[in-house]
Amino acid sequence: DAGVTQSPTHLIKTRGQQVTLRCSPKSGHDTVSWYQQALGQGPQFIFQYYEEEERQRGNFPDRFSGHQFPNYSSELNVNALLLGDSALYLCASSSPQEAHTEAFFGQGTRLTVV
Amino acid sequence: AQSVTQLDSQVPVFEEAPVELRCNYSSSVSVYLFWYVQYPNQGLQLLLKYLSGSTLVESINGFEAEFNKSQTSFHLRKPSVHISDTAEYFCAVLRGSQGNLIFGKGTKLSVKP
């Protein structure tokens, strides 16, 4: 089992650009959640996808959007990048059958906006 | 609203000494509590969790945490730390049935020889 995989591991973007991050959940998990971890902070919940729909959303602007595919993989899109979007973006997979009590995290994508 | 407070941002300790990382939570409902560990340049790994039952939970690498409802705490302890325990530790609460985690700001544990 490959666990949760994220790509790319690192990327550098310029202010105003758009970025897409990808996540494949752990086998058997159908729910994907995205978190933003700024330097020196704990992860902050962005949103969660289940059955290809956004089910919950944290306090993030509409510039942050996502998608879930039939195979449960997910994308996080960020438009009009700001310097403050620089962070480690973490994907977590879980299952409602386990009441989401077994969340597995990927290694993250380190986004740097210059 | 649920929240998590980790009382220490950094904890330096010598190898083989005991350590306690403190975590307090606020919640008006039943809670599920977690400790995650993050090694440099890596994602989060689940260390241990409290769902119900015994208030003392243990991990495979010697850490333990005790759920204290009256003090709304879930402190993490280890009787003897190793250099390899150097990492950042995050306490988290699961937000009801919605399935997203609320994290504290983290505690950096630095184990010195």
Side-chain angles (χ1 to χ4, degrees):
Chain A
D1 183 0
V4 179
T5 59
Q6 292 187 243
S7 63
T9 55
H10 297 82
L11 76 165
I12 300 174
K13 290 287 188 178
T14 303
R15 277 181 298 174
Q17 286 189 314
Q18 180 263 346
V19 68
T20 297
L21 312 181
R22 296 176 176 83
C23 171
S24 292
K26 184 180 185 295
S27 177
H29 284 179
D30 53 12
T31 302
V32 173
S33 301
W34 287 92
Y35 293 82
Q36 180 195 66
Q37 186 180 13
L39 199 61
Q41 300 295 318
Q44 297 288 317
F45 174 70
I46 303 174
F47 44 53
Q48 181 186 82
Y49 276 83
Y50 172 67
E51 292 185 331
E52 302 180 48
E53 292 187 8
E54 183 182 295
R55 299 291 178 167
Q56 305 174 62
R57 189 178 185 90
N59 188 27
F60 279 80
D62 292 344
R63 297 187 298 109
F64 290 77
S65 63
H67 189 77
Q68 186 179 36
F69 299 93
N71 66 353
Y72 308 125
S73 67
S74 176
E75 290 182 347
L76 164 65
N77 301 291
V78 187
N79 295 321
L81 285 166
L82 304 173
L83 294 179
D85 294 332
S86 295
L88 180 67
Y89 288 85
L90 295 164
C91 167
S93 72
S94 60
S95 172
Q97 282 71 33
E98 298 169 337
H100 304 290
T101 58
E102 286 281 346
F104 286 82
F105 283 80
Q107 298 286 76
T109 294
R110 174 74 63 186
L111 172 65
T112 302
V113 182
V114 297
Chain B
Q2 292 170 305
S3 66
V4 175
T5 302
Q6 291 185 244
L7 299 164
D8 306 293
S9 59
Q10 297 188 45
V11 173
V13 64
F14 287 106
E15 193 174 18
E16 298 183 6
V19 71
E20 178 181 78
L21 308 184
R22 297 180 292 168
C23 172
N24 286 91
Y25 68 91
S26 67
S27 175
S28 58
V29 298
S30 298
V31 292
Y32 294 156
L33 293 160
F34 305 81
W35 277 99
Y36 281 85
V37 59
Q38 186 174 39
Y39 297 100
N41 300 313
Q42 294 191 23
L44 300 174
Q45 299 176 29
L46 179 64
L47 191 59
L48 47 75
K49 62 183 178 182
Y50 170 78
L51 303 182
S52 64
S54 173
T55 58
L56 185 66
V57 290
E58 299 177 350
S59 72
I60 59 173
N61 57 352
F63 282 94
E64 64 179 29
E66 186 164 17
F67 170 61
N68 188 319
K69 187 175 182 179
S70 62
Q71 296 187 6
T72 61
S73 68
F74 190 55
H75 300 332
L76 181 69
R77 303 183 182 94
K78 189 171 185 179
S80 176
V81 295
H82 302 290
I83 299 287
S84 59
D85 293 324
T86 294
E88 189 157 19
Y89 293 79
F90 292 93
C91 181
V93 60
L94 189 65
R95 188 178 171 197
S97 61
Q98 296 176 316
N100 65 282
L101 293 161
I102 299 170
F103 287 89
K105 292 188 175 182
T107 298
K108 290 184 178 178
L109 175 63
S110 175
V111 182
K112 305 175 187 300

